[in-house]
Amino acid sequence: IMLVNKVPFKAVALTCARLGFSLGIMLVNLVFQILILWYIYIFVVKPSTRHVQVLYAEFHASTFDDQGNLDKEAWEDYHNKIDVCQVTMSSRTFYFGILTLWALLMMMELRSCQRVAMDIWGLRSVKSVNEVLDFVTTGSYELGGRCLIVGLTPAMRWALLGFICIPRAIIGVCLFVIGCQWLSSSASFADMTLNAMALEFVKNIDEILYDSILPRELKREIAETNLFKIEAQKTLADVNRAEWQGYKRTASWVLLMGSFLFVYGAVLQTVLPFDLSQLHTLCAAEVHTSQTPLCDLWTWRGWSESCYPYGVFVER
């Protein structure tokens, strides 16, 4: 589009097709991710949150009196003992471990967005669109080849930040928060692990669309197009300073994510009370039983068959 006056009509038509295809995929990706986030929150996260809350409320109502004293007989006879003991927030180590992995995954996504924004912002400003591109291998727009984006006009810079970086950052933050609530509302340890894997799928919607829909030639052209920052010659002190800045940025991200996880788990999350030590203590025996296999004999020559006698069930 920038060079329509310098290329034949066929090249202009092909450029318009590339632009339309790329913008179309970008818009579909934004709409798709927003809709998926909304539907996950409405049809998955909120019902899951209510399910866990009802389970915990029923546990309190069935095994405690109105003064908060435990009725041991009621606990021994409680019919949902197995289910309530699987609530993931009862094990802080497991709960915060999975949340930490999710935070690291989203930190990678948000830092990638930050780096793209910094690269766009770091390109030199140009007055004309003719100064934006440099085809280093062919020197010709028509022949294509490796292309460097060496500068941006102010309108291009703000358009890239406004239509790519900012929406991506907003979606990333929303996905991070919704993911934390979904993981917090997991009804079992297995569910929490599977939910974390499902969130990875949602995060990668843009890559799925890119790999499945874009033509191979357009992918090649995108891969051959890179941002190129023209900088002044650096001294050793400049190189060391840039490396230290990188360490500081990483430390800031880690501190930010760690602080958010603690504040979210202890203050902001609305799923269950933070202190579930009472449930953790009551469920110790139940959890130990659930982790003990009924049989640990080899199946070789039918050795394990003795664990499953006919006509009687022997629980170990």
Side-chain angles (χ1 to χ4, degrees), residues 12-178:
V12 173
L14 184 58
T15 299
C16 291
R18 293 168 181 162
L19 178 64
F21 218 91
S22 300
L23 288 179
I25 292 297
M26 184 184 70
L27 292 176
V28 168
N29 171 59
L30 288 176
V31 173
F32 204 54
Q33 283 190 319
I34 292 172
L35 288 178
I36 288 294
L37 279 177
W38 175 250
Y39 286 137
I40 285 178
Y41 180 69
I42 294 298
F43 296 115
V44 180
V45 177
K46 296 186 76 172
S48 178
T49 300
R50 177 174 175 81
H51 171 70
V52 171
Q53 290 174 340
V54 169
L55 184 65
Y56 188 71
E58 184 185 6
F59 155 69
H60 266 194
S62 302
T63 60
F64 291 85
D65 60 24
D66 55 2
Q67 301 299 320
N69 300 312
L70 175 67
D71 185 340
K72 294 184 178 180
E73 292 184 2
W75 168 249
E76 293 298 329
D77 297 333
Y78 184 51
H79 63 286
N80 275 339
K81 187 186 298 185
I82 295 177
D83 293 334
V84 77
C85 287
Q86 281 290 306
V87 171
T88 54
M89 291 183 66
S90 63
S91 174
R92 289 187 185 177
T93 303
F94 184 85
Y95 171 68
F96 279 107
I98 297 295
L99 279 189
T100 300
L101 292 177
W102 172 237
L104 290 174
L105 191 64
M106 290 311 302
M107 186 174 77
M108 181 175 64
E109 175 73 11
L110 293 174
R111 291 199 71 181
S112 174
C113 181
Q114 178 201 23
R115 292 185 180 111
V116 172
M118 291 177 62
D119 288 340
I120 292 174
W121 191 258
L123 289 174
R124 68 186 178 96
S125 297
V126 297
K127 296 181 179 179
S128 170
V129 294
N130 296 327
E131 304 175 65
V132 172
L133 302 180
D134 183 11
F135 291 88
V136 294
T137 54
T138 63
S140 168
Y141 172 82
E142 299 178 53
L143 296 177
R146 188 184 178 201
C147 173
L148 298 179
I149 302 175
V150 296
L152 292 172
T153 64
M156 289 179 180
R157 192 187 312 276
W158 287 110
L160 289 173
L161 292 175
F163 289 102
I164 296 178
C165 297
I166 294 178
R168 183 180 173 188
I170 293 175
I171 290 175
V173 172
C174 292
L175 178 59
F176 181 37
V177 175
I178 291 175

Side-chain angles (χ1 to χ4, degrees), residues 89 95-96 260-269 272-275:
M89 291 183 66
Y95 171 68
F96 279 107
F260 174 81
L261 288 181
F262 176 77
V263 173
Y264 176 83
V267 180
L268 299 180
Q269 65 89 10
L272 290 176
F274 178 67
D275 186 8

